């Protein structure tokens, strides 16, 4: 085992001992972290500090721990309310109740709407891919997701570059390539990256916008709550 593999094993061990998952899950988890770890090591050579890299790696380990080791039921359900071009684990799926194992990989061709957990409204823009980790959490691989918790529940969106948590919020997360943006239409959202934790707020008429750079820094601004960015919802 090389040094990179040893570092990955150490990160998983720090997440805590849990019941051993199926070997396929463990292999998938290891491959996902290894890929992103190698990317981070390349960035380190261009000046990123080890502390910053370790912070991101810890976030990746948390995603994997949540996906495979957290004490959630092995299956959970979400309702596909609207969407004609939804693919679940490489198979087209019709509207209705979806039985998911964590993670359940979902991709969309056109926009789709889901109900999850305590009446949480989750909408995926077309050409979005997510791993649904639990009724109240997902990993956004690429695309855009809109979440409305109606102030009654919590929902967490993980990305490879940071974590977005709502605090009674209607918010949208866009991720892909160099883009990582969080828009809050109403309420408060917390964004955690390797440089710290940030919040942005919206009041309906005016939305808070957080743009997260590739180095983890966050720039917060304001814009109208009815810009065309929300048109697909």
């Amino acid at each position: 085992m090389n040094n990179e593999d040893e570092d990955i094993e150490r990160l998983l061990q720090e997440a805590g001992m849990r019941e051993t998952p199926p070997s396929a899950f463990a292999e998938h988890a290891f491959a996902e972290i290894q890929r992103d770890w190698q990317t981070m090591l390349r960035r380190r050579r261009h000046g990123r500090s080890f502390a910053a890299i370790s912070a991101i790696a810890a976030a990746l380990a948390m995603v994997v721990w949540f996906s495979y080791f957290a004490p959630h039921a092995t299956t959970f359900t979400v309702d596909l309310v609207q969407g004609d071009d939804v693919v679940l684990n490489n198979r087209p799926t019709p509207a209705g109740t979806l039985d998911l194992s964590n993670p359940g990989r979902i991709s969309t061709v056109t926009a789709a709407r889901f109900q999850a957990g305590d009446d949480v409204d989750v909408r995926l823009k077309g050409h979005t891919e997510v791993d649904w980790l639990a009724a109240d959490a997902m990993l956004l691989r690429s695309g855009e997701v809109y979440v409305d918790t109606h102030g009654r529940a919590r929902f967490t969106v993980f990305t490879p570059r940071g974590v977005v948590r709502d605090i009674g919020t209607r918010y949208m997360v866009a991720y892909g390539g160099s883009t990582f943006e969080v828009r809050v239409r109403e309420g408060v959202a917390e964004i955690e990256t390797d440089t710290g934790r940030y919040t942005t707020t919206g009041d309906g008429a005016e939305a808070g916008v957080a743009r997260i750079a590739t180095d983890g820094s966050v720039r917060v601004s304001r814009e109208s709550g009815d810009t065309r960015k929300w048109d697909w919802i």
Side-chain angles (χ1 to χ4, degrees), residues 79-100:
D79 291 327
L80 173 55
V81 178
Q82 186 177 15
D84 297 326
D85 299 292
V86 174
V87 177
L88 170 61
N89 296 331
N90 297 317
R91 294 183 178 181
T93 187
T97 299
L98 307 182
D99 292 315
L100 303 181

Side-chain angles (χ1 to χ4, degrees), residues 57 101 116:
S101 298

Side-chain angles (χ1 to χ4, degrees), residues 10 19 22 47 62 67 71 80 97 106-107 118 126 129 146 170 173 184 192 201 206 212 214-216 233:
R10 175 177 55 79
E19 179 182 353
M62 178 173 62
S67 303
L80 173 55
T97 299
I106 291 177
S107 58
D118 296 327
E129 184 175 70
Y146 166 85
R170 289 192 292 160
V173 183
V184 178
E192 182 176 356
T201 65
E206 194 173 53
I212 300 88
T214 54
D215 64 359
I233 297 168

Side-chain angles (χ1 to χ4, degrees), residues 112 114 121-125 128-130 132 138-148 155-159 164 171-175 181-183 230 232-233:
F114 300 82
D121 185 10
V122 179
R123 307 186 192 191
L124 305 182
K125 192 175 182 179
T128 293
E129 184 175 70
V130 303
W132 214 309
M138 66 169 49
L139 169 64
L140 175 60
R141 291 179 165 274
S142 63
E144 298 185 32
V145 56
Y146 166 85
V147 178
D148 185 353
F155 197 91
T156 302
V157 178
F158 294 92
T159 80
V164 183
Y171 69 101
M172 177 167 58
V173 183
Y175 179 82
E181 296 179 347
V182 180
R183 283 178 163 78
W230 303 89
W232 66 270
I233 297 168

Side-chain angles (χ1 to χ4, degrees), residues 35-100:
R35 182 195 63 191
D36 289 308
W37 180 258
Q38 290 170 347
T39 298
M40 288 184 290
L41 286 176
R42 288 194 294 271
R43 291 178 181 172
R44 181 186 178 190
R45 298 186 187 105
H46 289 83
R48 175 167 285 192
S49 70
F50 182 76
I53 292 173
S54 297
I56 302 177
L60 291 169
M62 178 173 62
V63 171
V64 174
W65 178 88
F66 195 99
S67 303
Y68 303 106
F69 299 95
H72 287 273
T74 55
T75 61
F76 57 95
T77 62
V78 299
D79 291 327
L80 173 55
V81 178
Q82 186 177 15
D84 297 326
D85 299 292
V86 174
V87 177
L88 170 61
N89 296 331
N90 297 317
R91 294 183 178 181
T93 187
T97 299
L98 307 182
D99 292 315
L100 303 181

